[in-house]
Amino acid sequence: MFILNTIIFALTAYVVEHFRLRWCFWSALNASTGLTVINSILLSILPRIT
C-alpha cells in the first residue's frame, strides 16, 4: 500500500495542473508515509466505533 500511495501522489502531480511536488519523489514519499500512518490509525479506531 505504501508504494501504491507514492505512485498515486506522483501521478497526481503529473496529471493535475496546479498540484506540484516540490522535491519530486521525496515529496511523494513523505506524503505517502503520512497517508499510510493516518489510514492505519483510522482503521484501528473505526471498528471500535461501529
Side-chain angles (χ1 to χ4, degrees):
M1 187 64 117
F2 180 71
I3 300 297
L4 182 62
N5 286 339
T6 304
I7 293 169
I8 289 172
F9 272 108
L11 285 175
T12 302
Y14 180 74
V15 172
V16 177
E17 185 176 341
H18 295 290
F19 184 81
R20 181 173 85 89
L21 298 173
R22 180 175 282 182
W23 296 289
C24 299
F25 176 76
W26 297 110
S27 295
L29 192 65
N30 288 335
S32 176
T33 303
L35 184 62
T36 301
V37 169
I38 290 170
N39 283 340
S40 297
I41 292 170
L42 288 177
L43 288 175
S44 68
I45 292 172
L46 287 178
R48 296 179 190 165
I49 293 173
T50 57

